[in-house]
Amino acid sequence: MASTADDATREEVRRAGLAADGPLPRLLSLLRTAEETHFDAAEAQRLAVESGLAIGRTELAAMLDTMVAHGLLGRVPTTGGAALYDTILRPHSHMLDEATAMMVDLDVSPETLSAIVARAIAEQPGRVEVLLRTRAPEKAPEGPTRRGRPRRIG
């Protein structure tokens, strides 16, 4: 018998425009209930295998990309290596400690985020790299838009 959470996940998958009768809703449920909110394809594969969900690597990678494209998963911008996915969909920042391979969510105010970055730079000069991503707007503005060339400020 399906749980209420499974039913809700299937409905969310349907609302995203995807078929909710295959392994995708079950995989999404597994990922969202996992202890860690950030994972790569190998970790997703491990979780699937441990739960008895038989999905090949190629199919799993396609499913992850589909879930990202339909807003069911997030993808953390990285500077290299394997794609990193995120089950937390609301906009938030991340901090990666390469020494420990730990990814931490920074779901904080802009002022707190600024203080965290400033402190990290001060305490670890030359070791902090900031990747700033500006998200595209949810909807295009109404009416004509003005497009100019990018300009350097400062």
Side-chain angles (χ1 to χ4, degrees), residues 84-99:
L84 192 61
Y85 302 92
D86 194 344
T87 58
I88 299 174
L89 298 177
R90 70 184 175 280
H92 63 286
S93 299
H94 296 90
M95 181 173 66
L96 172 64
D97 183 342
E98 289 182 345

Side-chain angles (χ1 to χ4, degrees), residues 63-134:
M63 289 171 70
L64 293 172
D65 288 340
T66 296
M67 286 189 273
V68 169
H70 286 82
L72 298 169
L73 284 179
R75 187 161 172 182
V76 179
T78 58
T79 57
L84 192 61
Y85 302 92
D86 194 344
T87 58
I88 299 174
L89 298 177
R90 70 184 175 280
H92 63 286
S93 299
H94 296 90
M95 181 173 66
L96 172 64
D97 183 342
E98 289 182 345
T100 62
M102 293 289 299
M103 175 72 67
V104 178
D105 286 317
L106 297 176
D107 197 1
V108 297
S109 71
E111 296 80 15
T112 301
L113 180 61
S114 180
I116 289 169
V117 171
R119 183 174 178 176
I121 291 170
E123 291 178 355
Q124 300 177 64
R127 294 185 54 222
V128 175
E129 176 181 312
V130 176
L131 170 64
L132 182 63
R133 175 175 74 170
T134 304

